[in-house]
């Protein structure tokens, strides 16, 4: 291995460490606790080293969001692949989405609540974000109904899931009714 290859590998490892540490700190204490000073202390690198990877917290949030989008896409596809029939797939997708949001609140915030400097719904949208939307579209496109654009239907269904996730987390919706909300979404929105 050349010196250049070794340096690139070490740089990639440091970047993964920064993102993992930021994510862990945000999940434990919230995004307000994620500062470059605290990150540099936890990873045992100076702040200038951290800034050589990311210009600031915004870019770190973006990196966590991209990682989270890739994980969400995998979770959604796994859930829908195991389900038989359109209704079961839609229900599995909704449960997987809401479970992801509940299990990963800081990642979910990085994806949908915080400014990570990422373009959404644009030509230059990063691939992990496009793929997460594609994971939704693959399932929901088949139940959009005649004359309904699949991507628009997916956006409306996704917005409903996001609302449920956000309102439940904020204590505005009772968690005990989560399954009924998913059933209502599947029955009323999707053409099954």
């Amino acid at each position: 291995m050349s010196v250049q290859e070794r340096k690139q590998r070490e740089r990639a490892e440091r970047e993964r460490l920064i993102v993992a540490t930021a994510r862990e700190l945000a999940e434990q204490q919230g995004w307000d606790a994620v500062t470059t000073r605290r990150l540099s202390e936890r990873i045992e690198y100076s702040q200038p080293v951290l800034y050589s990877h990311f210009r600031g917290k915004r870019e770190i949030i973006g990196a966590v969001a991209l990682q989270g989008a890739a994980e969400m896409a995998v979770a959604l596809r796994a859930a829908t692949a195991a389900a038989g029939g359109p209704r079961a797939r839609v229900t599995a997708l909704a449960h997987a989405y809401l479970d992801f949001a509940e299990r990963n609140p800081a990642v979910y915030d990085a994806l949908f609540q915080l400014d990570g400097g990422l373009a959404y719904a644009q030509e230059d949208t990063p691939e992990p974000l496009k793929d997460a939307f594609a994971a939704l579209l693959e399932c929901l496109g088949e139940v959009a109904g005649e004359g309904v654009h699949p991507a628009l239907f997916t956006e409306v269904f996704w917005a409903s899931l996001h609302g449920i996730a956000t309102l439940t987390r904020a204590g505005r919706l009772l968690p005990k009714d989560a399954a009924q909300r998913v059933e209502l979404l599947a029955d009323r929105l999707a053409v099954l």
Side-chain angles (χ1 to χ4, degrees):
M1 173 181 298
S2 73
V3 171
Q4 182 65 22
E5 289 172 330
R6 180 183 54 77
K7 285 184 178 185
Q8 287 175 338
R9 186 187 75 232
E10 289 171 354
R11 180 172 177 75
E13 288 172 7
R14 266 194 319 272
E15 192 165 301
R16 280 191 295 276
L17 177 62
I18 293 166
V19 172
T21 303
R23 182 176 174 168
E24 178 184 317
L25 186 57
E27 291 292 1
Q28 291 171 352
Q29 299 177 29
W31 278 104
D32 287 342
V34 179
T35 64
T36 54
R37 186 181 111 294
R38 288 182 92 183
L39 285 174
S40 66
E41 288 171 1
R42 283 198 176 203
I43 64 173
E44 298 179 345
Y45 284 101
S46 68
Q47 285 186 357
V49 170
L50 196 139
Y51 282 116
S52 75
H53 290 272
F54 299 99
R55 286 184 288 209
K57 183 175 176 176
R58 182 178 187 222
E59 285 189 4
I60 294 169
I61 290 169
V64 170
L66 293 176
Q67 187 181 73
E71 292 170 8
M72 178 184 276
V74 168
L76 296 178
R77 286 189 176 107
T80 58
R87 187 181 195 297
R89 281 191 292 280
V90 169
T91 301
L93 174 106
H95 283 296
Y97 183 96
L98 295 171
D99 288 345
F100 182 89
E102 183 180 353
R103 283 190 329 272
N104 304 284
V107 173
Y108 193 81
D109 285 349
L111 271 164
F112 302 121
Q113 303 289 95
L114 302 173
D115 179 8
L118 304 173
Y120 286 78
Q122 309 287 325
E123 281 191 32
D124 61 339
T125 297
E127 281 306 313
L129 298 177
K130 288 179 181 179
D131 190 47
F133 185 77
L136 291 165
L137 181 61
E138 290 161 10
C139 175
L140 296 170
E142 71 177 318
V143 297
E146 190 174 321
V148 178
H149 192 282
L152 290 176
F153 177 78
T154 299
E155 289 173 351
V156 170
F157 200 97
W158 171 29
S160 298
L161 290 174
H162 175 70
I164 291 170
T166 303
L167 291 169
T168 301
R169 187 165 137 205
R172 304 299 195 270
L173 298 176
L174 295 173
K176 70 177 184 69
D177 297 329
Q180 288 178 283
R181 286 186 199 98
V182 168
E183 295 299 321
L184 186 61
L185 267 178
D187 288 341
R188 303 295 180 178
L189 286 184
V191 177
L192 302 169

